[in-house]
Amino acid sequence: MIRVPGDKSISHRALLLAALGSGTSRLSGVLPGADCRSTARILRQLGVAVPRLPDDGSPFEVEGVGLRGMEAPASVLDCGNSGTTARLLLGLLSGLSVEAALTGDDSLRTRPMARVTEPLTRAGARFREEGKPGRLPIRILGPPREPIRHRSTVASAQVKSALLLAGLGAGLEVEVVEPVPSRDHSERMLRRVGVGVRSSGEAPHEVALAQVPGSLDSLDLQVPGDISSAAFLLVLGLLGGRSVEIANVGLNPTRTGILGVLERMGAELGRENLRETDDPAGEPAGDLTARPTSLRGVEVEGPEIPSLIDEIPVLAVAAARARGTTVIRDAAELRVKESDRLRALAVNLAEVGVEVEELPDGLVIEGSDRPLEGRVRSFHDHRIAMAFGVLGALPENNIELDDRSVVDVSFPGFWELLDGFAGSAGGGAATRPGSPARPGSPARPEPSSPPRPVVTIDGPAGSGKSTTARAVAQRLGFRHLDSGALYRAATLALQRSGIPEGEWSDRGIEHLQQLEITLTPADSGFDVRIDGESQGEALRSAEVTARVARVAAIPEVRTLILEPLRRVAGLGGVVADGRDMGSVVLPDADLKVYLTASLAERARRRLLQEGVQPDAARLEEEARQLAERDAADRSRPVAPLRRPPDAVSVDTTGLAFSAQVDRIVEEVKAAIPDLTEPTIDR
Ligand code: S3P
């Protein structure tokens, strides 16, 4: 039996409601994918002690801070690629009157947010759009003040949930009408923590917050496997020549549309060990099996669409291998998912030789059994990558994918499972190449592959973090990730733009947003490129050095560089140094080190670094300046210097450099016991 990672929608909601509870919640099976890590990281920024999400879905506890306990965050809340995180938090935080700015990666910043902010604005909430109209970044300025009533034109669980959470936070009535029922995990989980939620259950679907208690019960919840992830494996079982059995999959009736459609296509699916099927506050689950079958084309449209909205990519792939024509309609929402999925599917299917027509709201796909071949793109979308991974793993197909790493958003371990299946079923090799996913997920079957951990080293000015990080990386065979180089690249780009310095924080940002600043693995670290061009020594010029601190203090610059930093850190095998690497940039790092040294020692090192002889007067002056800088760094509004609470402090006063490096290498080995070999190929 295979297990798939926890349900993404339920995991997000479990983290949020556990955080708002009044006691200790115990959660297990939570999806450790990048999207839920974004929610967990943001909760930490709001003052909730959420531990690192376990890679294997094992249980952990969250101490709720109560309905009024969240703190205003010190920095921007980055939702990464996760639409659910962004929309649910826009609702919840506005309801709680927590002033915060939310942003996301390039894809999320193109997705519509007005569907949440507009109904809340009508109820009196205030937001400031800091990017394009209706898109992130958005700053929450004030709470809704009147009952929230909304008739939505789309069946969106994110919109419905955002409004319910806003009402919960603000203590206001909520009534939402959606054209047909969307997934109802929020309604079920709210009931579970003691909130009264009414639901008409049929189209048009009316949902209302009936009664909000003064405090929420804690949760004791086991998150079932994600049917949206299981769907990829079911199609593989139907078409890949070998049965699959998947244990403990969520079977909430608002999510199981894909099962009905596959059955209409001729699939034989088994459902066993069914649980919690009648509990209005529970989540039905059970085991699923799929046996090899030949499929026929099908029509999918209307009220069925919301119940399988995330499964359409894999359905399109099944359709490409079915007899006859498949028509999908009423699915225009797919154009505003992690990518324009209708376009992405049409482009990729055509690329590998499938006859496909793109409709404004759907696809017409002609199935065939001829071998499919070609190079496809992920469009930075996890489900597009996985759908074509499945197509590539079917017998006789030969499909290359540009980027495999994106699957981490919802299904860490997907490629290992798929490669194992393709090998044992004698099917086509699953698509390659691309960067490997981070290790450790419920589905990852290879405990023997060397771990690729992430280590962060932060500390005050003069603590020697960057030389130390370089030496530690070298000793471990990791790459050194020097975040400062990205700030230097941003500074260099601004300088070259000719935009006057006084306008760098507005026009300058617009300019930077047009550029692609990337990190490419090179030697023992990373090469910084601007629009594909390596920058080399230009990054170290005196002009750049003189201005880089100012540029690094612009919040939007810090947000812009989060993505390239997190992207390369996601490859693992990295020692990253900076000011906020452990606290803001990579809060899920495997080991966080915070370097300190006495003021006198740091002053001495800085003078030596500058080639100045450290006599008593100079030492005193340097120490005074450092103390001032420490105070300013700690209180600055942007990326203040803070020791991450889960960091290991290493005081290097009196330690020779080599002893200091030894000490940190020991800490890494203690924190990551199966670390053996250097992990990068140079
Ligand atoms: C989700 C709702 C759906 C779905 C998404 C997760 C949720 O989005 O596509 O993957 O957890 O509420 P919409 O609400 O935009 O349809």
Side-chain angles (χ1 to χ4, degrees):
M1 279 250 184
I2 303 173
R3 275 180 189 275
V4 291
D7 186 280
K8 183 155 76 70
S9 294
I10 300 177
S11 296
H12 284 298
R13 289 156 172 85
L15 290 167
L16 294 179
L17 290 183
L20 293 172
S22 293
T24 309
S25 286
R26 190 176 160 81
L27 308 178
S28 64
V30 170
L31 170 67
D35 272 12
C36 295
R37 291 203 195 277
S38 293
T39 294
R41 184 176 59 242
I42 289 178
L43 286 171
R44 288 180 207 120
Q45 285 178 267
L46 296 165
V48 186
V50 180
R52 181 190 153 87
L53 302 183
D55 289 331
D56 58 358
S58 56
F60 62 91
E61 293 185 345
V62 175
E63 199 60 52
V65 295
L67 268 173
R68 298 276 153 260
M70 286 192 185
E71 296 164 6
S75 51
V76 177
L77 305 178
D78 182 359
C79 305
N81 193 244
S82 177
T84 310
T85 308
R87 296 198 177 115
L88 267 51
L89 281 169
L90 276 172
L92 177 65
L93 296 182
S94 76
L96 292 173
S97 206
V98 170
E99 211 186 300
L102 274 80
T103 190
D105 69 5
D106 289 350
S107 149
L108 189 55
R109 290 201 310 273
T110 67
R111 298 180 64 187
M113 295 294 145
R115 47 179 66 191
V116 172
T117 54
E118 193 269 330
L120 290 174
T121 305
R122 269 191 284 116
R126 286 179 307 117
F127 299 92
R128 187 167 72 225
E129 292 171 348
E130 298 185 336
K132 301 203 175 85
R135 304 288 186 268
L136 295 179
I138 293 176
R139 184 172 287 278
I140 298 166
L141 299 177
R145 306 210 174 264
E146 291 158 28
I148 302 165
R149 299 190 209 288
H150 182 53
R151 181 172 282 270
S152 177
T153 51
V154 287
S156 163
Q158 293 178 359
V159 171
K160 173 176 63 180
S161 307
L163 301 183
L164 289 172
L165 291 173
L168 175 72
L172 290 169
E173 276 174 46
V174 181
E175 273 176 32
V176 186
V177 182
E178 45 182 2
V180 290
S182 63
R183 61 190 68 189
D184 66 356
H185 306 299
S186 297
E187 293 93 305
R188 288 172 185 259
M189 210 181 294
L190 282 167
R191 290 185 191 117
R192 199 158 169 147
V193 297
V195 180
V197 181
R198 277 198 316 267
S199 155
S200 70
E202 53 197 42
H205 184 218
E206 293 178 30
V207 179
L209 209 55
Q211 169 262 328
V212 177
S215 64
L216 304 187
D217 296 342
S218 54
L219 271 173
D220 191 352
L221 186 78
Q222 198 216 351
V223 178
D226 198 327
I227 188 166
S228 300
S229 298
F232 294 104
L233 304 177
L234 290 178
V235 170
L236 197 63
L238 294 171
L239 299 174
R242 184 164 66 99
S243 301
V244 297
E245 298 179 4
I246 315 170
N248 187 30
V249 181
L251 295 175
N252 179 314
T254 59
R255 296 284 299 283
T256 48
I258 184 66
L259 304 182
V261 169
L262 289 175
E263 282 169 340
R264 289 214 303 276
M265 294 176 89
E268 281 182 46
L269 301 175
R271 300 167 176 78
E272 275 159 49
N273 294 324
L274 302 178
R275 295 184 300 285
E276 289 198 50
T277 45
D278 298 325
D279 178 357
E283 285 287 352
D287 304 341
L288 291 177
T289 53
R291 270 188 280 155
T293 332
S294 60
L295 300 181
R296 54 181 176 268
V298 69
E299 292 201 4
V300 191
E301 60 190 0
E304 195 168 35
I305 293 290
S307 69
L308 47 70
I309 189 78
D310 291 340
E311 289 69 73
I312 290 177
V314 76
L315 181 61
V317 153
R321 271 314 190 217
R323 242 175 316 112
T325 310
T326 292
V327 183
I328 300 168
R329 284 200 209 87
D330 301 321
E333 269 297 295
L334 288 186
R335 297 211 182 270
V336 291
K337 295 292 178 188
E338 286 83 330
S339 68
D340 175 345
R341 285 186 176 159
L342 294 178
R343 171 62 47 86
L345 287 166
V347 167
N348 280 352
L349 286 172
E351 192 58 45
V352 298
V354 176
E355 229 180 283
V356 53
E357 186 192 344
E358 183 182 339
L359 308 175
D361 64 345
L363 295 167
V364 181
I365 299 164
E366 295 299 333
S368 85
D369 56 7
R370 61 173 176 271
L372 302 174
E373 242 184 81
R375 185 172 163 80
V376 296
R377 288 162 57 198
S378 73
F379 293 87
H380 303 298
D381 182 333
H382 53 134
R383 299 203 204 281
I384 296 295
M386 290 190 280
F388 285 89
V390 168
L391 194 59
L394 300 183
E396 296 182 40
N397 293 346
N398 185 6
I399 295 174
E400 250 185 77
L401 174 71
D402 64 345
D403 181 6
R404 294 175 129 209
S405 66
V406 287
V407 307
D408 239 17
V409 158
S410 64
F411 199 159
F414 173 78
W415 296 111
E416 290 77 2
L417 258 183
L418 195 67
D419 290 344
F421 183 92
S424 62
T431 57
R432 52 190 89 248
S435 36
R438 289 286 307 280
S441 74
R444 179 173 286 249
E446 287 183 294
S448 59
S449 57
R452 301 176 67 83
V454 173
V455 177
T456 58
I457 302 187
D458 292 304
S463 60
K465 24 181 209 285
S466 110
T467 30
T468 310
R470 191 169 304 115
V472 170
Q474 197 182 14
R475 282 274 297 280
L476 294 169
F478 288 13
R479 289 186 199 285
H480 174 214
L481 176 53
D482 167 19
S483 60
L486 279 175
Y487 294 113
R488 287 178 172 271
T491 311
L492 184 62
L494 286 170
Q495 229 187 316
R496 285 181 184 154
S497 70
I499 298 171
E501 271 189 62
E503 294 173 37
W504 282 5
S505 53
D506 37 69
R507 266 179 68 209
I509 299 302
E510 281 165 32
H511 174 70
L512 289 180
Q513 279 165 346
Q514 309 304 316
L515 301 177
E516 228 186 16
I517 302 186
T518 53
L519 290 165
T520 310
D523 302 325
S524 53
F526 295 90
D527 186 28
V528 184
R529 299 189 180 169
I530 304 178
D531 280 347
E533 255 179 63
S534 187
Q535 299 302 317
E537 278 312 293
L539 293 176
R540 310 240 142 244
S541 75
E543 289 85 351
V544 169
T545 305
R547 290 169 183 80
V548 62
R550 251 200 68 208
V551 172
I554 304 174
E556 289 83 356
V557 171
R558 300 196 83 84
T559 306
L560 267 175
I561 71 150
L562 279 178
E563 199 184 352
L565 283 174
R566 287 186 181 153
R567 204 172 169 76
V568 294
L571 303 175
V574 158
V575 181
D577 80 273
R579 171 201 300 283
D580 56 357
M581 298 305 279
S583 51
V584 176
V585 181
L586 304 170
D588 299 327
D590 300 273
L591 176 70
K592 299 175 185 175
V593 176
Y594 190 77
L595 279 191
T596 56
S598 69
L599 254 188
E601 174 63 15
R602 284 157 53 208
R604 193 183 68 85
R605 287 184 197 162
R606 281 184 80 97
L607 288 175
L608 287 175
Q609 216 173 28
E610 286 160 25
V612 176
Q613 204 43 47
D615 61 39
R618 284 198 176 110
L619 271 175
E620 201 183 311
E621 173 55 18
E622 187 67 29
R624 194 190 57 75
Q625 283 181 17
L626 269 177
E628 265 176 24
R629 167 119 186 237
D630 283 355
D633 280 352
R634 285 206 179 88
S635 60
R636 53 191 275 170
V638 179
L641 178 69
R642 272 200 208 122
R643 191 179 86 78
D646 48 351
V648 177
S649 280
V650 176
D651 185 344
T652 63
T653 317
L655 280 185
F657 185 67
S658 60
Q660 170 180 330
V661 174
D662 285 347
R663 170 76 207 284
I664 295 173
V665 169
E666 287 315 309
E667 292 287 355
V668 177
K669 288 187 175 157
I672 306 151
D674 20 346
L675 189 73
T676 45
E677 301 290 320
T679 56
I680 50 173
D681 311 319
R682 296 246 158 90

